[in-house]
Amino acid sequence: MNLYPLKFNPILKERLWGGTKLGDIFGKPIENDITGESWELSTVKGDISVVANGDLSGTSLQDLIDTNAEEVLGASVVSRFGKEFPILIKFIDAKQDLSIQLHPNDELAKKRHNSFGKTEMWYIMDADEGADLIVGFNKDVTKEEYQKSIEDDKLLDLLNYEKVKEGDTFFINTGKIHAIGAGVVLAEIQQTSDVTYRVFDFNRKDKEGNLRELHTEMALDAMDYTKKDDFKVAYDTTTDTVNEMVDCPYFKTNYIKLTKDLTQDISKRDSFTIFMCVSGAATVVNEFGEASIKKGETVLVSANSKSIELKSNGATLLEVTI
């Protein structure tokens, strides 16, 4: 099948904490001033990505997978995940603090929700001065201490805050309490799952005047109560080469900063490849065609591709595979 590099229509999500930067910075076609997320690649039920370029324009990602699973995903990916796209790709604009939350692991998510768990990573693309994230606890706590902090409205006293700037990268494993802070725009790579346990939401109300649902009890058995410094990702930024950022069972992410064209032999990869453009612009070429992307855009290269050429002078890309 002629699987040239595929771009998809963004799926825009209104969020209580969202803003306008997905439109202001990336040119996304937002329709309100509380747009919090742009889902770039998704097969989550009800939010399935649709091809935006070339002859396959208008075709859903799920239809492509259903009819050409190994060509699109790779045989090794199909053997693990069947005809499910195992990654969800997003850009996020947090005008306000997001709720404090965590995600269950695969075992618990399967038991409770018949879903995958949700391991994720964040790459900071833009941050207001003083912006921060919440990642983990600032000390080891017991379940009882945590519960008392919820009862006494003092959870924030137990949390670890990290100031952020462009290029900072964080790996959020399951069970880790976390939140994106106000003023942060980031790229998110995660397992395909929409299971989130919200534990504190700053007592905010939605547009109907209702408090959002909390998942206090479900979170108790899903949470890691220990203080860990395993979240900040250190990575090389050598230009014109592939620099490893994250290699976990659910996805692999590399950093590529281009000052000239770069060609990769991917004939033995046996996985699809995603490129998220986090600065500049580039053209992604395989043997079936090409697609141009700019900051805030994403392209999918099928697993049956033998090589990829990246044409650019100045783009920064996140490369994601399984």
Side-chain angles (χ1 to χ4, degrees), residues 251-262:
F251 53 81
K252 301 173 184 178
T253 304
N254 300 314
Y255 175 94
I256 303 174
K257 172 69 175 177
L258 296 169
T259 65
K260 60 184 180 181
D261 297 351
L262 177 68

Side-chain angles (χ1 to χ4, degrees), residues 123 235-245 253-264 266 269 273-282 284 308-312 314-321:
Y123 176 89
Y235 61 96
D236 291 335
T237 57
T238 306
T239 58
D240 305 313
T241 191
V242 177
N243 301 282
E244 181 180 299
M245 302 176 85
T253 304
N254 300 314
Y255 175 94
I256 303 174
K257 172 69 175 177
L258 296 169
T259 65
K260 60 184 180 181
D261 297 351
L262 177 68
T263 299
Q264 298 184 71
I266 61 164
R269 180 166 286 175
T273 304
I274 299 164
F275 291 101
M276 303 181 77
C277 186
V278 294
S279 73
V284 180
I308 298 174
E309 184 179 10
L310 303 174
K311 296 181 177 181
S312 179
T316 303
L317 306 173
L318 304 183
E319 179 187 61
V320 185
T321 64

Side-chain angles (χ1 to χ4, degrees), residues 21-268:
K21 288 182 180 177
L22 295 177
D24 298 340
I25 298 176
F26 304 146
K28 302 290 183 186
I30 65 173
E31 296 181 350
N32 56 62
D33 59 3
I34 54 167
T35 303
E37 300 183 1
S38 175
W39 290 22
E40 298 289 298
L41 277 172
S42 167
T43 55
V44 174
K45 187 175 180 180
D47 290 299
I48 297 177
S49 296
V50 173
V51 177
N53 66 320
D55 292 342
L56 294 170
S57 182
T59 307
S60 80
L61 177 55
Q62 191 62 64
D63 284 345
L64 285 175
I65 294 169
D66 287 343
T67 54
N68 306 274
E70 291 194 359
E71 289 180 279
V72 175
L73 299 178
S76 65
V77 178
V78 173
S79 71
R80 287 182 62 192
F81 301 101
K83 292 185 176 182
E84 293 190 57
F85 196 69
I87 293 179
L88 176 57
I89 299 289
K90 302 177 181 178
F91 294 111
I92 293 177
D93 169 25
K95 184 177 181 180
Q96 299 180 35
D97 295 328
L98 270 68
S99 63
I100 297 169
Q101 57 190 245
L102 64 143
H103 309 296
N105 61 26
D106 284 347
E107 182 180 3
L108 195 57
K110 179 69 173 176
K111 178 181 176 181
R112 290 180 174 175
H113 313 285
N114 194 30
S115 171
F116 291 118
K118 190 173 175 182
T119 297
E120 61 190 359
M121 67 165 282
W122 298 333
Y123 176 89
I124 308 301
M125 296 180 67
D126 188 78
D128 294 348
E129 186 174 352
D132 58 21
L133 307 172
I134 291 170
V135 193
F137 291 106
N138 58 31
K139 64 174 185 176
D140 289 348
V141 300
T142 65
K143 184 185 288 190
E144 292 71 30
E145 286 178 297
Y146 166 77
Q147 288 177 292
K148 186 167 178 14
S149 76
I150 293 287
E151 293 166 6
D152 296 343
D153 201 17
K154 292 185 176 179
L155 174 61
L156 300 182
D157 295 342
L158 298 179
L159 301 178
N160 174 57
Y161 292 80
E162 295 282 328
K163 297 292 184 188
V164 296
K165 64 183 185 305
E166 182 182 350
D168 286 348
T169 301
F170 296 84
F171 181 71
I172 312 297
N173 43 16
T174 56
K176 189 182 299 297
I177 196 167
H178 62 274
I180 302 170
V184 175
V185 176
L186 57 78
E188 181 175 273
I189 299 154
Q190 61 159 94
Q191 288 176 268
T192 292
S193 170
D194 210 22
V195 179
T196 295
Y197 294 160
R198 188 183 300 123
V199 299
F200 183 68
D201 196 31
F202 305 95
N203 302 313
R204 290 181 293 201
K205 296 181 179 179
D206 62 21
K207 59 187 179 184
E208 277 80 40
N210 302 311
L211 294 170
R212 293 202 294 173
E213 181 184 4
L214 299 180
H215 310 96
T216 309
E217 291 300 318
M218 282 199 294
L220 292 176
D221 294 333
M223 187 175 296
D224 183 349
Y225 296 96
T226 57
K227 178 185 185 297
K228 291 179 179 174
D229 297 321
D230 60 351
F231 46 80
K232 189 76 176 285
V233 177
Y235 61 96
D236 291 335
T237 57
T238 306
T239 58
D240 305 313
T241 191
V242 177
N243 301 282
E244 181 180 299
M245 302 176 85
V246 168
D247 186 351
C248 76
Y250 308 107
F251 53 81
K252 301 173 184 178
T253 304
N254 300 314
Y255 175 94
I256 303 174
K257 172 69 175 177
L258 296 169
T259 65
K260 60 184 180 181
D261 297 351
L262 177 68
T263 299
Q264 298 184 71
D265 178 355
I266 61 164
S267 58
K268 294 181 173 60

